[in-house]
């Protein structure tokens, strides 16, 4: 019995040792032939408008730069996220060039371009893979970002998702990576800047909600001030006498509380009105490629002008009402006298 156990144990140990040795040899061979790539990410600032010719141009620049190296293989792919939850994915550049963009009614939200290529490098027995990822368009909204934070602990993924335009390079050779990054950055800086909104629209985008809060808190106070200006005419009608008594104080308190609540309610309604229109302000479209993009540019201009007129009109009406209410007292006093 002991001899049997000894035989079984002796047969198991060499198998484990052989498996571990084989795995170590495989790892050693793998890293000898293939280098572990590094990654560099550049955030591309500013608001740009991308056209079809710009996409073709960056592909030509990348290909021209790669021809300076001992290139073994390369492939480019491009992905479009469109409105109405549509996606167009082109696995090769030839497929992308065959697309007729004038027939697409959806607007483009995000463009992601990938270049994968293999280059022969000194010191490596086989060619090494490099890749570039260029993404332009919308970043992930806050509600989806929170979900990503819960499901991923990769800071790199969070940075990529939160940025509207990024360039990511996975590389073995640092010189090649810097060359390609410079090509992309120079190309991006040369893109057409998106037109800025008018001063009034920029003001409402930045300060609109703060302005609506001021109106909400100020409305009850302003209404009380206006009503108090007419106290000589209103109090006798409401039965509020000049003599101080419990009944007079009760009537006065009820009257002023009703005016305060009316002003508070009006302030909330005005704040709601302004905030909803501020939230509907749109950014100038980032793309001008499809028919949907061209339509989006027209809708952007018409929509923002309409919202601006509504907000300015409401604020003007409030100021005009205050001025008329305050000056009406002098007209009534003049007519009575």
């Amino acid at each position: 019995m002991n001899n049997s156990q000894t035989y079984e144990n002796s047969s198991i140990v060499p198998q484990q040792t052989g498996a571990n040795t084989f795995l170590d040899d495989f790892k050693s061979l793998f890293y000898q032939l293939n280098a572990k790539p590094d990654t560099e990410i550049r955030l591309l600032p500013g608001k740009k408008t991308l056209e079809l010719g710009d996409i073709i141009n960056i592909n030509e620049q990348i290909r021209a730069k790669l021809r300076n190296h001992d290139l073994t293989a390369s492939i480019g792919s491009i992905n479009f996220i469109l409105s109405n939850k549509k996606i167009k994915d082109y696995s090769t550049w030839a497929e992308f060039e065959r697309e007729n963009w004038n027939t697409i009614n959806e607007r483009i939200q995000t463009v992601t371009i990938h270049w994968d290529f293999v280059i022969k490098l000194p010191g490596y027995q086989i060619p090494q893979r490099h890749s570039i990822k260029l993404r332009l368009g919308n970043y992930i909204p806050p509600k989806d970002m929170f979900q990503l934070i819960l499901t991923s602990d990769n800071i790199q993924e969070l940075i990529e998702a939160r940025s509207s335009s990024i360039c990511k390079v996975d590389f073995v050779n640092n010189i090649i990576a810097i060359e390609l990054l410079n090509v992309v950055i120079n190309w991006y800086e040369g893109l057409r800047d998106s037109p800025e909104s008018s001063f009034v629209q920029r003001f409402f985008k930045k300060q609109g909600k703060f302005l609506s809060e001021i109106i909400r808190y100020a409305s009850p106070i302003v209404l009380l001030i206006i009503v108090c200006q007419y106290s000589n005419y209103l109090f006798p009608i409401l039965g509020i006498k000049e003599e101080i008594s419990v009944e007079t104080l009760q009537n006065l308190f009820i009257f002023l509380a009703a005016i305060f609540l009316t002003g508070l309610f009006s302030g909330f309604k005005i704040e709601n009105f302004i905030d909803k229109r501020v939230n509907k302000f749109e950014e100038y479209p980032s793309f001008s490629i499809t028919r949907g993009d061209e339509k989006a540019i027209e809708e952007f201009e018409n929509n923002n002008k309409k919202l601006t007129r509504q907000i300015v009109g409401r604020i003007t009406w409030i100021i005009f009402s205050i001025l008329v209410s305050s000056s009406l007292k002098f007209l009534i006093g003049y007519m009575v006298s």
Side-chain angles (χ1 to χ4, degrees), residues 184-198:
V184 173
I185 291 171
N186 290 335
W187 167 83
Y188 183 80
E189 291 177 349
L191 295 179
R192 178 165 61 92
D193 292 328
S194 298
E196 290 189 0
S197 305
S198 65

Side-chain angles (χ1 to χ4, degrees), residues 135-322:
R135 181 168 63 80
L136 303 104
N138 299 334
Y139 58 83
I140 294 181
K143 59 184 181 66
D144 297 331
M145 177 62 67
F146 180 72
Q147 181 66 29
L148 181 61
I149 292 173
L150 295 179
T151 57
S152 175
D153 57 355
N154 192 335
I155 301 299
Q156 179 178 307
E157 289 183 4
L158 299 178
I159 294 175
E160 290 183 42
R162 194 69 186 94
S163 304
S164 58
S165 299
I166 67 162
C167 180
K168 174 184 175 182
V169 179
D170 293 326
F171 62 93
V172 174
N173 186 282
N174 185 54
I175 297 176
I176 296 175
I178 293 175
E179 290 178 352
L180 296 173
L181 280 172
N182 288 336
V183 168
V184 173
I185 291 171
N186 290 335
W187 167 83
Y188 183 80
E189 291 177 349
L191 295 179
R192 178 165 61 92
D193 292 328
S194 298
E196 290 189 0
S197 305
S198 65
F199 171 78
V200 177
Q201 291 176 7
R202 293 199 305 271
F203 173 79
F204 284 138
K205 285 180 184 178
K206 293 181 179 179
Q207 307 295 338
K209 293 190 176 182
F210 177 69
L211 178 65
S212 65
E213 285 185 2
I214 293 177
I215 293 175
R216 182 185 70 182
Y217 290 116
S219 293
I221 300 173
V222 172
L223 191 59
L224 284 173
I225 293 173
I226 293 173
V227 168
C228 288
Q229 291 178 347
Y230 297 90
S231 59
N232 295 336
Y233 307 103
L234 292 175
F235 286 177
I237 297 175
L238 298 171
I240 300 176
K241 302 176 182 179
E242 294 183 2
E243 295 82 7
I244 298 177
S245 64
V246 175
E247 182 182 357
T248 300
L249 291 175
Q250 287 177 345
N251 294 337
L252 180 62
F253 176 79
I254 293 172
F255 173 70
L256 294 180
I259 297 299
F260 182 85
L261 292 175
T262 301
L264 193 62
F265 177 77
S266 302
F268 272 113
K269 296 292 286 185
I270 296 170
E271 181 188 32
N272 241 357
F273 178 88
I274 295 176
D275 285 350
K276 283 183 178 179
R277 277 141 188 86
V278 169
N279 291 332
K280 289 181 180 179
F281 273 118
E282 298 178 358
E283 295 287 342
Y284 190 89
S286 300
F287 303 96
S288 181
I289 297 175
T290 66
R291 290 181 60 186
D293 293 334
E294 296 176 0
K295 184 179 179 182
I297 293 174
E298 296 178 2
E299 292 177 349
F300 156 81
E301 295 174 349
N302 295 332
N303 179 66
N304 282 10
K305 287 180 180 178
K306 178 183 177 182
L307 294 172
T308 302
R309 287 196 300 269
Q310 290 178 347
I311 296 175
V312 171
R314 181 57 59 95
I315 294 176
T316 303
W317 176 81
I318 294 171
I319 295 174
F320 177 77
S321 300
I322 293 174

